[in-house]
Structure formats: C-alpha cells, structure tokens
C-alpha cells in the first residue's frame, strides 16, 4: 500500500479496525456542553503563561503534523465528543502547540518535561503551576481520570 497522505492512513480498513473512533468534532469551532464552551487555542508562550498566572485549569497538546501518534490521539481521543464535553464541563483552557517546524518556545517546554519530541500532553489543575504529564498514548478514559 502506498501512503500519499494522512487521509490514506486514517481511511484504511486496518486503521479503522485498530483505532475505532467515537464521534469526533471539528476543532476549529467552539464545542458547547451544558452551556459551557471548549475550544483549542494556538499555543504561544505569552498566552500560556498568562492563563497559568490567572490560575486557569489548562490542558496542553504539543503536536506536529508529521507525528503519527499525535494524529491518532487527536482522532481517537482529543477530538472525541466525550473528551470535549469533559473539557467544556470543567472549564479547561485548551492550548495546541505546533512543533511541525520545530518552534524554539515549544522545544523549551518539551525539554522542561524531559522530552525530545512530541507528543507532550500536560494538564495544569486550576490554580496549580505544576503539570500532570499524561502518557504519549491517550484514551478518553485517561482524560476522564484526571478530572476525578
């Protein structure tokens, strides 16, 4: 099989069998659950630290277009209705950092948490400056556990 782009991978029967997905939603629009919204923002060092200083609960997704693990996690977990409902319900500020072209600010964050590359998933509970580092392979259940 010749893979020309990610649609070839995601559309393949093998991919669908290995990673069946829940209903997913488009990340470009705010997701509303119980009257609250969740929407991914582009990660910038300035905005991230402003949110952290304000005591917001934050989830960080450091990703890259060439990262297969990142794409699988987005499709099976981070874009799922279940997870987006949780983010909205718990009023989580969502940041997505794109390391496709090796952004130096994102490299600093990766190094801070002992990573050489993406994916990196961080959860900062409300009012906390210390992150919970999540595993590189995510499931909706793993995300649910951080809110229990």
């Amino acid at each position: 099989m010749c893979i020309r782009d990610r649609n070839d991978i995601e559309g393949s029967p093998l991919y669908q069998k290995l990673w069946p997905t829940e209903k997913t939603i488009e990340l470009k629009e705010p997701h509303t659950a119980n009257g609250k919204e969740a929407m991914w923002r582009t990660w910038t060092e300035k905005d991230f630290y402003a949110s952290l200083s304000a005591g917001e609960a934050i989830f960080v997704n450091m990703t890259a277009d060439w990262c297969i693990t990142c794409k699988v996690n987005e499709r099976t977990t981070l874009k799922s209705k279940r997870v987006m409902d949780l983010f909205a319900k718990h009023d989580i500020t969502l940041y997505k950092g794109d390391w496709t072209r090796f952004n130096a600010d994102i490299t600093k964050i990766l190094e801070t948490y002992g990573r050489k590359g993406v994916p990196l998933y961080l959860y900062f509970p409300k009012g906390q400056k210390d992150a919970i580092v999540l595993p590189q392979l995510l499931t909706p259940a793993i995300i649910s556990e951080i809110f229990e």
Side-chain angles (χ1 to χ4, degrees), residues 107-121:
T107 301
K108 282 194 302 190
I109 294 291
L110 294 171
E111 290 171 352
T112 298
Y113 292 96
R115 296 284 172 84
K116 302 272 187 217
V118 293
L120 174 63
Y121 305 105

Side-chain angles (χ1 to χ4, degrees), residues 25 29-38 81 84-85 88-89:
I25 57 176
E29 297 295 324
H31 176 72
T32 304
N34 299 328
K36 296 184 178 180
E37 284 189 352
K81 182 179 181 323
M84 290 301 290
D85 283 350
K89 176 182 173 187

Side-chain angles (χ1 to χ4, degrees), residues 40 43 48 58-64 66-67 69-71 73-74 78 95-99 105-124 131-138 143:
W40 291 96
W43 185 92
F48 167 73
I58 302 169
F59 186 90
V60 177
N61 169 16
M62 293 300 185
T63 186
W66 42 259
C67 173
T69 303
C70 301
K71 296 302 174 193
N73 286 334
E74 285 178 11
L78 296 176
Y95 283 106
K96 183 176 181 180
D98 185 359
W99 201 54
D105 291 334
I106 293 174
T107 301
K108 282 194 302 190
I109 294 291
L110 294 171
E111 290 171 352
T112 298
Y113 292 96
R115 296 284 172 84
K116 302 272 187 217
V118 293
L120 174 63
Y121 305 105
L122 304 171
Y123 173 62
F124 295 83
I132 297 169
V133 180
L134 282 82
Q136 290 184 312
L137 293 174
L138 295 177
I143 301 296

Side-chain angles (χ1 to χ4, degrees), residues 9-23:
I9 297 168
E10 291 178 358
S12 74
L14 178 60
Y15 182 95
Q16 295 297 325
K17 186 170 185 150
L18 292 174
W19 295 289
T21 60
E22 297 182 28
K23 181 179 177 189

